[in-house]
């Protein structure tokens, strides 16, 4: 059964949801409520639990009820890409959609994950990626989504390492033509022996308490280690990096920044992300 949304909400207020399975943990309603309050936008944003085999039906029902837009999370980003009538270039390249806008007869799909990551690194952490040597761990949906925005920063090289190496090679083939200023490479985990300026963990290993087969030698003292996963405690990946003196950052900022990019696309107003990120960090510290 899909979860009933907004049963008591004013039909004149623009409706948005984040759709996923599971969805109860999602911080997106909190983030968008803070954005709306801050920018004076009249809108309502809720969670929508879709059955694993009922994504398309849930989207259509929400749209038929007048919904204006949607964020899409695990495990529906690929299905969302297939469902869209129109895709932005970055969503098409990523092969994954995390944001829908419902425009008259059209479902338009975008992917703001990559922009979220890059904005968090470059603007929030003030760490330039230009001319740097980057290592991206993982070749799943999140990795695909961040490749174009990362290459737009013109790093000197970008190495993709993945447990299933064929997927890393596929990404090199797919994105090679967009890597004009960047040397794009694939590598096995066992081949990662030297240091990179920036190491980004885009695997889901940490979610199931699995450790990655990496050596601390991949982290450099003046570099940055970024884990897309976030939590109250630093992940094993970030702890390993911190022990090398590397600056560390978790994915909470990426979450807020991708939400801001969605909000801007829907509402035409860019919210300030710093106070929202600060509020979320504080709430995580007290177990929120
Ligand atoms: P996918 O399921 O598409 O991809 C998972 C990736 O993790 C694959 O590359 C997979 O390798 C790898 N992997 C899983 N387990 C292991 C392991 N034990 N050892 C080595 N590699 C492993 O997931 P997504 O790409 O969608 O998401 C990846 C992570 O990013 C998730 O933790 C997600 O929560 C996070 N994320 C955070 C966001 C944010 O805003 N902060 C936004 C989007 C994602 P293989 O191909 O070999 O199976």
């Amino acid at each position: 059964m899909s979860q009933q949304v907004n049963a008591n909400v004013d039909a004149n207020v623009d409706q948005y949801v984040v759709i996923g399975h599971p969805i109860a943990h999602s911080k997106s309603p909190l983030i968008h409520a803070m954005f709306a309050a801050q920018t004076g936008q009249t809108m309502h944003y809720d969670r929508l639990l879709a059955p694993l085999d009922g994504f398309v039906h849930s989207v259509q029902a929400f749209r038929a009820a007048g919904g204006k837009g949607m964020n899409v999370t695990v495990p529906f980003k690929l299905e969302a890409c297939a469902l869209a009538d129109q895709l932005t270039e970055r969503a098409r390249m990523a092969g994954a959609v995390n944001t829908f806008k419902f425009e008259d007869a059209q479902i338009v799909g975008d992917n703001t994950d990559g922009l979220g990551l890059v904005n968090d690194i470059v603007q929030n952490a003030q760490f330039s990626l230009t001319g740097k040597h980057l290592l991206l761990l993982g070749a799943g949906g999140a990795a695909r989504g961040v490749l174009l925005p990362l290459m737009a920063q013109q790093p000197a090289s970008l190495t993709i390492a993945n447990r299933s190496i064929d997927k890393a090679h596929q990404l090199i083939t797919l994105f090679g033509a967009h890597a004009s200023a960047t040397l794009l490479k694939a590598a096995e985990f066992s081949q990662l022996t030297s240091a990179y300026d920036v190491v980004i963990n885009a695997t889901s290993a940490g979610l199931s308490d699995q450790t990655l087969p990496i050596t601390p030698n991949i982290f450099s003292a003046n570099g940055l280690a970024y884990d897309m996963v976030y939590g109250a405690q630093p992940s094993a990946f970030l702890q390993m990096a911190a022990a090398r003196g590397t600056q560390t950052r978790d994915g909470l900022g990426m979450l807020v920044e991708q939400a801001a990019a969605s909000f801007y696309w829907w509402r035409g107003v860019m919210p300030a992300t710093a106070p929202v990120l600060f509020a979320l960090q504080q709430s995580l510290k007290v177990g929120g």
Side-chain angles (χ1 to χ4, degrees):
M1 290 289 286
S2 68
Q3 187 172 294
Q4 187 68 37
V5 188
N6 305 329
N8 302 314
V9 173
D10 185 347
N12 296 318
V13 174
D14 290 347
Q15 304 291 323
Y16 299 86
V17 288
V18 56
I19 187 169
H21 187 122
I23 201 63
H25 67 285
S26 174
K27 296 189 184 306
S28 292
L30 179 62
I31 294 171
H32 282 278
M34 287 193 265
F35 287 164
Q38 189 197 99
T39 57
Q41 292 288 303
T42 306
M43 58 184 276
H44 184 84
Y45 188 112
D46 213 333
R47 297 180 180 87
L48 177 55
L49 177 71
L52 287 174
D53 60 354
F55 172 71
V56 172
H57 174 78
S58 299
V59 174
Q60 283 167 345
F62 178 71
R63 196 176 159 218
K68 296 285 183 196
M70 211 178 236
N71 283 126
V72 181
T73 188
V74 178
F76 298 127
K77 289 184 185 180
L78 302 189
E79 263 189 273
C81 192
L83 181 64
D85 300 306
Q86 243 189 73
L87 292 170
T88 61
E89 170 69 1
R90 60 193 180 195
R92 192 184 63 76
M93 285 299 293
V97 158
N98 80 332
T99 313
F100 278 145
K101 183 153 72 171
F102 303 127
E103 286 183 340
D104 303 325
Q106 299 254 297
I107 299 180
V108 189
D110 194 5
N111 189 316
T112 63
D113 283 336
L115 187 66
L117 173 76
V118 168
N119 284 351
D120 192 42
I121 293 177
V122 176
Q123 291 172 18
N124 298 345
Q126 295 274 297
F127 196 102
S128 170
L129 298 172
T130 309
K132 300 283 171 56
H133 295 282
L134 274 49
L135 171 61
L136 182 64
L137 305 175
R144 283 178 71 118
V146 301
L147 276 172
L148 270 191
L150 282 176
M151 288 192 297
Q153 296 297 308
Q154 307 204 320
S157 71
L158 201 172
T159 303
I160 305 170
N162 198 47
R163 182 175 57 181
S164 319
I165 188 66
D166 53 316
K167 283 196 209 163
H169 284 299
Q170 281 166 15
L171 292 188
I172 303 293
T173 306
L174 195 61
F175 287 87
H178 294 262
S180 55
T182 305
L183 179 60
L184 204 52
K185 298 182 271 191
E188 306 261 6
F189 278 103
S190 60
Q191 294 173 306
L192 304 175
T193 50
S194 57
Y196 293 81
D197 298 312
V198 180
V199 184
I200 299 166
N201 182 17
T203 76
S204 52
L207 289 181
S208 47
D209 278 334
Q210 294 174 315
T211 46
L212 292 168
I214 50 172
T215 149
N217 295 343
I218 62 173
F219 300 108
S220 64
N222 299 322
L224 174 72
Y226 195 102
D227 199 335
M228 288 193 190
V229 173
Y230 55 84
Q233 304 300 326
S235 63
F237 167 82
L238 290 185
Q239 287 178 37
M240 186 192 273
R244 293 284 287 188
T246 305
Q247 182 183 335
T248 60
R249 194 162 178 92
D250 74 16
L252 201 58
M254 175 180 177
L255 181 77
V256 174
E257 293 294 336
Q258 62 78 30
S262 298
F263 187 92
Y264 178 69
W265 191 43
W266 292 328
R267 309 299 301 184
V269 188
M270 192 65 192
T273 52
V276 175
L277 178 55
F278 181 75
L280 286 182
Q281 285 165 336
Q282 297 308 108
S283 97
L284 264 187
K285 276 186 198 158
V286 294

